[in-house]
Amino acid sequence: MIVCFDIGGTAIKGAGAWAVDDVRPVARRQTPIHDFDAFIGVLKDVIDEIGETPTCVALSIAGIIDPDTDRAVIANIPCAHGRLLRADLEAALGLPVLIANDADCCALAEYGVGAGRGHRVVFGAILGTGVGGGLVVDGKLINSAGGFAGEWGHGPVAATRAGNPPVELPRFACGCGLDGCVDAIGSARGMEKLHRHLAGSELKAEEILDAWQTGDVDAARTIDVYIDILSAPLALVVNMTGATIVPVGGGLSNSLPLIAALDRAVKARVLRKFQRPLVVRAECAIEPGLVGAAVLGAAFASPEA
């Protein structure tokens, strides 16, 4: 049995996993973001509630482990930020601890029980409050030691001329400190920023998508430019990794027409010609962080698998 956690700045979700398709959540707890002893206490409470000694503890976190220092980079949980988190947790819990980024865990979940089943190379993309991703090859994360692999949303590569007919675009500032990142224009807030730039009106991403589906000309223009901007770097990721499926999670994946449009655009730009959907909505919509952590823990518990 593996104890899994999905840890964010607001809540800690816990579960016992007896198999990757047998994950049993317990009640979520509030995240003690400023008190590391209290943070440890919550983890211990969950382990005690499950009531069985686990093989290991596997965590999905909204952050990364720096592969050069082993220190956690978790901006929204100050008490864990900058720590040798794996070592600290193992010392406190007396159990092996595995840690992966939340986007990586979503990719693992899709590989294990979602749209990535049967595929050797799975690139899980996130389109939501941010643009992220994770790469799984033969059931293993490329980011097995932590790090930034899969972060296709960052880097100054977003097009400054896009759409049909093309329109000139500024290099929007990104929260990572760079200008011109895909994240700055491909996230939900980025879509809203793009619509404001193109149409001069304030709409939420959900409203833009709804208007697009009802034939609104301004919304259609925004989505045309948006898809053009996203599809090029995502096609490059597919070409470089050899991914044969790209499950998409995050809030924007709830729009099936958006995912279908992105699929058509990406397939038109990749070298391998797919006669089936390539970019698809993630299937593991319920607790993908916990399921991904379960897959991570299962690989540790059965390394020969």
Side-chain angles (χ1 to χ4, degrees):
M1 190 271 291
I2 299 152
V3 172
C4 311
F5 290 98
D6 183 2
I7 300 177
T10 301
I12 293 177
K13 303 173 187 177
W18 282 260
V20 296
D21 57 355
D22 184 12
V23 179
R24 308 174 197 175
V26 298
R28 68 180 61 190
R29 273 83 162 168
Q30 183 176 356
T31 305
I33 63 172
H34 294 296
D35 184 338
F36 192 69
D37 288 337
F39 181 88
I40 293 290
V42 170
L43 303 189
K44 287 182 175 180
D45 285 346
V46 171
I47 295 171
D48 290 343
E49 181 178 344
I50 292 169
E52 185 176 327
T53 302
T55 303
C56 64
V57 174
L59 279 68
S60 167
I61 61 169
I64 64 103
I65 301 299
D66 187 315
D68 298 315
T69 66
D70 280 338
R71 295 190 180 276
V73 182
I74 314 174
N76 60 350
I77 308 178
C79 70
H81 181 73
R83 282 184 172 272
L84 295 170
L85 187 59
R86 182 182 292 106
D88 288 350
L89 292 179
E90 288 184 338
L93 301 176
L95 292 164
V97 173
L98 310 169
I99 302 175
N101 170 265
D102 51 0
D104 288 337
C105 282
C106 288
L108 276 172
E110 290 302 310
Y111 174 87
V113 298
R117 284 172 295 181
H119 292 265
R120 283 193 58 245
V121 184
V122 177
F123 184 75
I126 303 296
L127 294 176
T129 53
V131 175
L135 181 62
V136 178
V137 180
D138 291 330
K140 299 186 183 301
L141 279 173
I142 293 297
N143 266 0
S144 59
F148 299 91
E151 292 290 356
W152 71 290
H154 294 283
V157 299
T160 55
R161 193 169 186 266
N164 184 24
V167 62
E168 302 296 328
L169 298 166
R171 298 181 70 78
F172 291 108
C174 182
C176 75
L178 298 173
D179 295 333
C181 290
V182 174
D183 186 276
I185 207 164
S187 64
R189 305 292 82 80
M191 180 187 288
E192 294 162 6
K193 191 186 310 178
L194 177 63
H195 188 71
R196 187 183 313 124
H197 176 79
L198 295 174
S201 62
E202 298 280 349
L203 290 178
K204 296 293 185 183
E206 296 83 358
E207 295 171 327
I208 297 168
L209 291 166
D210 288 344
W212 169 49
Q213 287 301 291
T214 57
D216 181 85
V217 173
D218 287 341
R221 177 61 164 156
T222 295
I223 298 302
D224 172 60
V225 174
Y226 176 89
I227 291 293
D228 195 17
I229 292 170
L230 256 68
S231 60
L234 190 51
L236 181 60
V237 169
V238 171
N239 284 344
M240 290 185 66
T241 64
T244 55
I245 196 75
V246 181
V248 181
L252 293 177
S253 71
N254 291 324
S255 172
L256 293 180
L258 183 71
I259 299 304
L262 185 58
D263 177 54
R264 289 191 296 271
V266 171
K267 286 194 296 188
R269 288 177 156 174
V270 295
L271 293 175
R272 181 174 176 177
K273 299 308 173 188
F274 292 89
Q275 303 304 315
R276 56 161 174 81
L278 169 65
V279 180
V280 300
R281 184 183 180 186
E283 292 181 5
C284 192
I286 299 175
E287 306 296 3
L290 289 175
V291 175
V295 177
L296 185 69
F300 171 84
S302 301
E304 71 282 356

